Amino acid sequence: PGVVLVLDVPRVVDPPRAFDQLKLAAKRMAHTLGGQLVDDNQRPLTDTALAAIRTQVAEASELLARAQIDPGSPRAHKLFAA
């Protein structure tokens, strides 16, 4: 049993901030339910690992902005529609 949390970088405004909020919610949920944060290979997610993921989120956000695709914008929503 578990919960999967996903952040769709192109579709949210300010992805690093959204990641911070997601991380906080995940930590609170794990604490409240007596669970632990793990990656998709069931390895524990440490603060160091979470910081590395946040860096990747920020880099992806910057790449989109450099391509003139603002994360969370109508253009990004159209380009990255599921």
Side-chain angles (χ1 to χ4, degrees):
V3 175
V4 176
L5 302 176
V6 177
L7 177 66
D8 194 352
V9 173
R11 297 179 56 83
V12 298
V13 176
D14 195 355
R17 183 171 177 264
F19 177 79
D20 291 340
Q21 293 171 338
L22 181 74
K23 178 180 75 173
L24 180 61
K27 284 185 170 191
R28 284 183 181 164
M29 191 182 311
H31 177 72
T32 300
L33 298 174
Q36 81 178 145
L37 295 180
V38 296
D39 65 14
D40 54 345
N41 293 311
Q42 301 301 308
R43 292 183 300 230
L45 279 172
T46 63
D47 286 336
T48 301
L50 290 167
I53 294 168
R54 187 186 192 284
T55 297
Q56 292 175 339
V57 168
E59 288 171 352
S61 178
E62 290 171 15
L63 284 172
L64 286 167
R66 276 191 249 144
Q68 298 179 348
I69 303 168
D70 293 323
S73 70
R75 182 171 185 222
H77 281 248
K78 287 178 186 175
L79 289 170
F80 294 93

